[in-house]
């Protein structure tokens, strides 16, 4: 090599150029496509990590064009390319993924990657680069302690991140030209990943004890509060898993692409650890509340899992599943408080939440149409379905008011209220609120999640307050 020729710049992919991990990206998509394949992973791994990567890469079609990139590293590499330096992608990722990245960026002069037999990582990568360019004849950008042998063989290095004092360890053997600061994970990013704001939905567990007028009994109230904690932890576990399985669809969504896992703000490996840990904590709390509550809790988790893996992709079944999950929360509240949940409450809740589930899908379709697209990714709907979705949703909402009217005429009401005729005032209030929700949805002013809209909408709180006043006016016994 001519001494005046700049040494090649070799760039790692996972965690360096990419704010993600290509193997985990592939694994998440494979789990969504064929969950049973996870049982084959140990068999593939017996023949080495390179074989595992190749087997997974063969079974998925990855949309690498949406994978989050480290903008600082990309700018640095592009600048080196402009200066006439040879730029090499040196990655332990499978060659299929490396080729797809090159097709997206059209940046690299050469690619060195795992090939299904050899895992290009650590000492193996160092040996390959030394054989190709010579010892101390290349620069290297990486992010992991497994890359230390590569930096030791390099002329100089750059470090993406500083995990476990990595920069200091690299400097012991190789000059460090630049350190790329890792993305800072804010408290808000963690809150969004866990969907803490969604925990408010578990207030539904309070409905049975409140409708039975026993909210002042601590022996009934405290189990419900612990039940809410179990459902909240479980919900966060499911949301994390859902985000991992929905990476591709989320990255094509106008707002979901900013979610912590889809945007690369939180590593996928963290999510794959968080999901089972949160579920374990939730299960422990649920079991402490007795086997009946644990059974309802288990049914809730299995249904949410089925929803995440398959049901949400099937038109109409998805909204029925969503409505059912809200009703399961109410049943769980009744079991925790040892309060019977009436058929009237279940029927009313089912129609209300079915209407709100239709609002959710209608809003997504509405945004889709505004963007000029006709296919809702990851769902079973098209833009032309909007009118039908609207009709079914409005009808479901009005049916819930009909159920309430029939309940008011039921003899059961007289055992709970001294003046049940006052409850009739609740019917026009609910008709107004449901009609307004759908009016806002048609105007494009509805939040992606109508439940969260209701919790943040002042007028909705006014309706709740008026309903509470009506309930007290009816003279609860």
């Amino acid at each position: 090599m001519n001494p005046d020729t700049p040494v090649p710049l070799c760039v790692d992919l996972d965690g360096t150029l990419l704010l993600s991990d290509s193997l985990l990206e592939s694994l998440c998509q494979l789990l969504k496509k064929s969950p049973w394949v996870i049982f084959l992973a140990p068999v593939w791994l017996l023949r080495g990590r390179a074989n595992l990567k190749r087997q997974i890469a063969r079974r998925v079609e990855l949309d690498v064009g949406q994978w989050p990139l480290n903008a600082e590293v990309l700018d640095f590499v592009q600048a080196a390319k402009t200066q006439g330096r040879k730029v090499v992608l040196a990655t332990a990722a499978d060659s299929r993924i490396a080729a797809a990245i090159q097709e997206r960026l059209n940046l690299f002069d050469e690619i060195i990657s795992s090939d299904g037999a050899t895992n290009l990582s650590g000492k193996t990568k160092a040996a390959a680069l030394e054989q190709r360019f010579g010892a101390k004849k290349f620069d290297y950008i990486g992010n992991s302690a497994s890359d230390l042998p590569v930096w030791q063989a390099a002329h100089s290095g750059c470090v993406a991140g500083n995990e476990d004092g990595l920069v200091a360890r690299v400097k012991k053997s190789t000059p460090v030209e630049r350190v790329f600061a890792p993305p800072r994970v804010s408290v808000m990013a963690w809150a969004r990943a866990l969907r803490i704001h969604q925990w408010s939905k578990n207030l539904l567990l309070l409905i049975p004890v409140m409708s039975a007028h026993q909210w002042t009994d601590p022996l009934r109230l405290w189990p419900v509060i612990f039940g809410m904690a179990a459902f909240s932890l479980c919900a966060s576990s499911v949301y994390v898993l859902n985000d991992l399985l929905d990476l591709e669809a989320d990255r094509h969504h106008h707002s979901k692409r900013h979610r912590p896992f889809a945007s690369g703000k939180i590593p996928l490996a963290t999510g794959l650890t968080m999901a089972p840990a949160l579920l374990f904590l939730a299960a422990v709390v649920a079991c402490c509340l007795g086997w009946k509550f644990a059974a309802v809790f288990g049914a809730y988790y299995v249904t949410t899992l089925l929803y995440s893996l398959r049901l949400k992709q099937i038109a109409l079944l998805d909204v029925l599943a969503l409505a059912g999950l809200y009703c399961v929360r109410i049943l769980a509240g009744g079991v925790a408080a040892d309060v019977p949940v009436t058929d009237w409450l279940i029927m009313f809740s089912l129609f209300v939440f079915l209407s709100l589930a239709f609002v959710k899908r209608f809003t997504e379709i509405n945004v889709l149409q505004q963007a000029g697209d006709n296919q809702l990714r990851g769902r079973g709907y098209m833009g032309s379905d909007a009118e039908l979705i609207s009709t079914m949703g409005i009808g479901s909402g009005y049916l819930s008011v009909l159920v309430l009217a029939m309940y008011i005429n039921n003899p059961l009401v007289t055992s709970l209220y001294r003046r049940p005729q006052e409850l009739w005032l609740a019917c026009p209030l609910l008709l107004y609120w449901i009609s307004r929700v759908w009016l806002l949805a048609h105007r494009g002013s509805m939040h992606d999640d109508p439940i969260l809209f209701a919790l943040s909408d002042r007028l909705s709180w006014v309706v709740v307050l008026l309903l509470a006043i009506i309930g007290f006016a009816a003279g609860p016994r």
Side-chain angles (χ1 to χ4, degrees):
M1 180 183 291
N2 190 322
D4 295 328
T5 302
V7 298
L9 176 63
C10 300
V11 186
D12 183 37
L13 178 63
D14 297 326
T16 303
L17 181 61
L18 190 66
L19 289 176
S20 188
D21 184 293
S22 60
L23 176 59
L24 297 183
E25 291 272 356
S26 308
L27 180 61
C28 288
Q29 182 166 333
L30 184 59
L31 285 174
K32 181 175 182 178
K33 177 183 176 183
S34 306
W36 57 269
V37 176
I38 190 65
F39 297 108
L40 293 177
V43 179
W44 297 334
L45 188 58
L46 288 175
R47 297 182 59 185
R49 287 180 63 85
N51 179 64
L52 173 68
K53 295 173 182 179
R54 172 56 56 89
Q55 294 296 335
I56 293 176
R58 284 176 53 192
R59 288 167 170 79
V60 294
E61 296 180 8
L62 295 170
D63 186 6
V64 302
Q66 300 298 321
W67 286 4
L69 298 173
N70 188 323
E72 287 189 69
V73 174
L74 180 60
D75 290 343
F76 184 85
V77 176
Q78 288 175 331
K81 177 81 170 180
T82 303
Q83 294 165 5
R85 295 183 68 181
K86 184 173 186 176
V87 177
V88 179
L89 179 62
T91 174
D94 187 76
S95 58
R96 292 169 179 251
I97 292 174
I101 292 291
Q102 169 64 354
E103 185 177 351
R104 171 186 176 180
L105 299 177
N106 191 26
L107 177 62
F108 301 102
D109 300 298
E110 189 174 339
I111 296 176
I112 303 175
S113 60
S114 298
D115 58 6
T118 301
N119 186 44
L120 198 80
S121 177
K123 293 180 180 180
T124 304
K125 183 187 290 189
L129 293 177
E130 276 191 308
Q131 182 179 6
R132 177 68 182 84
F133 303 111
K136 301 296 181 180
K137 299 292 186 178
F138 63 91
D139 291 343
Y140 182 71
I141 308 177
N143 76 300
S144 171
S146 65
D147 291 326
L148 284 171
V150 187
W151 276 304
Q152 291 169 1
H155 169 263
S156 68
C158 297
V159 181
N162 190 21
E163 179 182 315
D164 298 327
L166 184 60
V167 174
R169 297 172 70 184
V170 174
K171 285 183 176 179
K172 290 180 180 178
S173 61
T174 308
V176 174
E177 181 180 348
R178 181 170 174 181
V179 176
F180 300 94
R184 299 183 65 179
V185 183
S186 65
V187 174
M188 287 301 298
W190 283 110
R192 289 193 67 190
L194 296 176
R195 303 279 224 292
I196 290 177
H197 61 284
Q198 298 278 8
W199 291 4
S200 58
K201 295 178 180 179
N202 294 317
L203 291 170
L204 292 172
L205 273 76
L206 289 168
I207 288 180
V209 74
M210 293 182 70
S211 63
H213 305 161
Q214 298 188 44
W215 62 83
T216 58
D217 184 352
L219 294 179
R220 297 191 186 278
L221 187 60
W222 276 109
V224 176
I225 292 174
F226 281 106
M228 290 167 58
F231 269 71
S232 296
L233 291 170
C234 178
S236 289
S237 171
V238 172
Y239 283 128
V240 169
L241 178 61
N242 183 71
D243 284 357
L244 294 174
L245 297 179
D246 260 8
L247 288 171
E248 184 176 349
D250 284 353
R251 287 169 181 157
H252 285 276
H253 193 274
H254 70 286
S255 62
K256 294 179 182 179
R257 66 175 182 269
H258 300 300
R259 286 177 172 175
F261 295 111
S263 62
K265 293 177 182 176
I266 297 180
L268 301 185
T270 302
L272 289 170
T273 303
M274 286 169 58
L278 290 167
L279 178 61
F280 174 77
L281 290 174
V284 169
V285 177
C287 290
C288 290
L289 293 174
W291 71 267
K292 289 184 179 179
F293 184 87
V296 177
F297 173 86
Y300 172 81
Y301 179 73
V302 170
T303 305
T304 54
L305 194 61
L306 289 173
Y307 176 79
S308 296
L309 293 174
R310 183 62 180 134
L311 294 181
K312 66 182 178 183
Q313 303 170 30
I314 305 175
L316 301 183
L317 275 183
D318 61 333
V319 290
L320 288 170
L322 281 175
L325 287 171
Y326 287 119
C327 292
V328 170
R329 287 179 171 98
I330 295 174
L331 287 171
V335 172
D338 195 21
V339 170
V341 178
T342 66
D343 295 339
W344 292 105
L345 180 56
I346 291 298
M347 284 193 294
F348 172 78
S349 303
L350 180 62
F351 285 121
V352 166
F353 293 123
L354 183 58
S355 180
L356 294 179
F358 276 123
V359 168
K360 181 179 177 68
R361 288 293 176 259
F362 177 82
T363 301
E364 292 175 345
I365 295 172
N366 204 17
V367 172
L368 179 79
Q369 290 178 317
Q370 292 175 4
D373 201 351
N374 192 49
Q375 181 67 47
L376 194 59
R377 287 179 178 268
R379 302 291 186 269
Y381 298 96
M382 303 179 66
S384 57
D385 296 329
E387 184 178 352
L388 180 61
I389 293 297
S390 173
T391 301
M392 291 188 290
I394 295 171
S396 298
Y398 287 174
L399 278 174
S400 69
V401 181
L402 176 61
V403 171
L404 176 61
M406 295 171 65
Y407 167 73
I408 295 171
N409 279 327
N410 191 279
L412 175 66
V413 180
T414 59
S415 65
L416 294 172
Y417 297 93
R418 290 186 292 271
R419 295 179 297 276
Q421 65 275 9
E422 304 288 344
L423 295 176
W424 280 105
L425 295 173
C427 293
L429 266 178
L430 282 174
L431 284 171
Y432 164 75
W433 184 78
I434 291 168
S435 301
R436 178 173 175 268
V437 165
W438 276 101
L439 181 64
L440 291 175
H442 273 266
R443 291 177 176 177
S445 303
M446 177 56 60
H447 188 279
D448 284 349
D449 192 327
I451 301 293
L452 296 182
F453 160 80
L455 291 171
S456 60
D457 178 51
R458 291 182 180 179
L459 199 52
S460 294
W461 279 106
V462 171
V463 170
V464 170
L465 178 60
L466 291 174
L467 289 172
I469 292 173
I470 291 170
F472 281 110
R477 294 183 187 274

